[in-house]
């Protein structure tokens, strides 16, 4: 099994709850959008929480290994001729062949790589699918010290640190343009729920409060990171580019 099974009540409910934190989702979009091109592949599109932010591109290809996710997102964007949703596993050569004709200048993988056991092959295939000069937009959970029951319930094989992610991405031949931690404010809540209270899912109330206070957290973190590359965050953001030759 290359991916941890997510087609379960906890995984599906988590995706639905994360759709409600629109200010957080918008923050992630704002961080990665300047690096996106016009023809984008989203690896692990889930239920389309982030797909909707990129509908104005020339082509959006969503990939997911779960048939239920593929059916859901296809129905959600059935009126969008530039959106194509495919079923497949990014670690297989068949999926690479299926996607090769799309001439992708962007591959986006947000909170998905941690679900893939063979993440080295997954990253190598993502790099292969990019046209010369194309970019990988990668977002993963950070901090092995935070790995707990929430991660286990979601099928996370790991959380990452900056050095590990740098090595993995560089091994594909891509040039790293940006590699930074993000979301300091998310650390206490994840630690409390996953390591102390040992919950399987983030509570609605906490997510609602986080979303309400998100503009304060986001503004403060943006100001802080202008003067200090803080070596801490709930997540890691990596932007990498394929050589032009």
């Amino acid at each position: 099994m290359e991916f941890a099974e997510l087609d379960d009540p906890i995984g599906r409910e988590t995706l639905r709850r994360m759709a409600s934190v629109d200010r957080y989702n918008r923050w992630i979009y704002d961080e990665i959008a300047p690096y996106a091109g016009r023809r984008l592949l989203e690896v692990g599109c889930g239920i389309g929480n982030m797909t909707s932010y990129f509908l104005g591109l020339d082509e959006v290809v969503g990939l997911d290994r779960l048939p239920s996710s593929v059916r859901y997102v296809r129905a959600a964007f059935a009126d969008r001729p530039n959106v194509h949703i495919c079923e497949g596993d990014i670690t297989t050569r068949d999926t690479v062949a299926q996607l090769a004709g799309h001439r992708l200048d962007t591959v986006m993988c947000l909170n998905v790589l941690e679900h893939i056991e063979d993440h080295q092959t997954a990253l190598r295939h993502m790099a292969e699918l990019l046209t010369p000069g194309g970019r990988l937009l990668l977002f993963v959970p950070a901090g092995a010290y935070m790995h707990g029951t929430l991660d286990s319930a979601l099928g996370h094989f790991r959380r990452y640190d900056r050095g590990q992610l740098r090595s993995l991405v560089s091994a594909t031949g891509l040039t790293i343009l940006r590699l930074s931690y993000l979301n300091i404010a998310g650390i206490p809540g994840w630690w409390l729920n996953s390591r102390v209270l040992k919950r399987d899912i983030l509570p609605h109330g906490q997510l609602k409060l986080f979303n309400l206070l998100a503009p304060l957290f986001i503004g403060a973190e943006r100001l802080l990171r202008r003067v200090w590359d803080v070596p801490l965050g709930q997540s890691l953001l990596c932007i990498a580019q394929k050589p032009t030759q």
Side-chain angles (χ1 to χ4, degrees), residues 159-199:
R159 301 180 72 90
Y160 295 84
D161 63 42
R162 184 150 52 183
Q164 176 192 20
L165 195 59
R166 179 184 291 111
S167 297
L168 283 167
V169 174
S170 296
T172 69
L174 300 181
T175 300
I176 294 176
L177 304 179
R178 176 182 175 185
L179 181 56
S180 56
Y181 286 96
L182 212 63
N183 192 15
I184 301 170
I187 293 175
W190 192 275
W191 173 269
L192 175 66
N193 287 290
S194 195
R195 296 297 299 255
V196 179
L197 300 178
K198 299 189 181 303
R199 289 172 166 153

Side-chain angles (χ1 to χ4, degrees), residues 6-192:
L6 284 179
D7 203 4
D8 61 76
I10 291 176
R12 192 62 54 193
E13 180 61 21
T14 297
L15 288 173
R16 281 195 287 263
R17 292 188 184 191
M18 289 308 297
S20 70
V21 288
D22 57 299
R23 291 172 173 175
Y24 170 79
N25 293 334
R26 180 72 196 195
W27 181 24
I28 304 309
Y29 169 76
D30 288 342
E31 294 290 331
I32 64 177
Y35 302 98
R38 300 301 305 173
R39 305 179 67 85
L40 178 144
L41 167 67
E42 182 182 9
V43 176
C45 59
I47 60 173
N49 286 348
M50 294 303 296
T51 315
S52 59
Y53 287 90
F54 294 91
L55 298 179
L57 300 184
D58 296 340
E59 183 177 23
V60 176
V61 181
L63 176 71
D64 207 282
R65 70 179 292 273
L66 301 178
S68 58
S69 292
V70 172
R71 289 193 300 270
Y72 184 94
V73 182
R74 277 180 180 166
F77 303 119
D79 61 338
R80 297 281 183 164
N82 63 322
V83 177
H84 309 281
I85 308 300
C86 307
E87 182 181 339
D89 182 337
I90 193 62
T91 65
T92 68
R93 294 304 308 174
D94 286 347
T95 297
V96 174
Q98 177 187 7
L99 297 170
H102 287 279
R103 301 292 298 168
L104 301 159
D105 61 18
T106 310
V107 174
M108 180 175 74
C109 182
L110 309 181
N111 288 323
V112 172
L113 193 66
E114 66 275 13
H115 297 287
I116 306 177
E117 187 170 14
D118 188 1
H119 56 173
Q120 293 173 310
T121 296
L123 284 170
R124 189 170 66 250
H125 287 173
M126 292 181 212
E128 180 182 336
L129 285 166
L130 285 168
T131 56
R135 290 171 174 173
L136 172 67
L137 317 180
L138 186 63
F139 193 71
V140 298
Y145 63 91
M146 286 196 289
H147 196 285
T149 54
L150 289 173
D151 297 278
S152 298
L154 287 169
H156 291 179
F157 285 102
R158 67 196 74 80
R159 301 180 72 90
Y160 295 84
D161 63 42
R162 184 150 52 183
Q164 176 192 20
L165 195 59
R166 179 184 291 111
S167 297
L168 283 167
V169 174
S170 296
T172 69
L174 300 181
T175 300
I176 294 176
L177 304 179
R178 176 182 175 185
L179 181 56
S180 56
Y181 286 96
L182 212 63
N183 192 15
I184 301 170
I187 293 175
W190 192 275
W191 173 269
L192 175 66

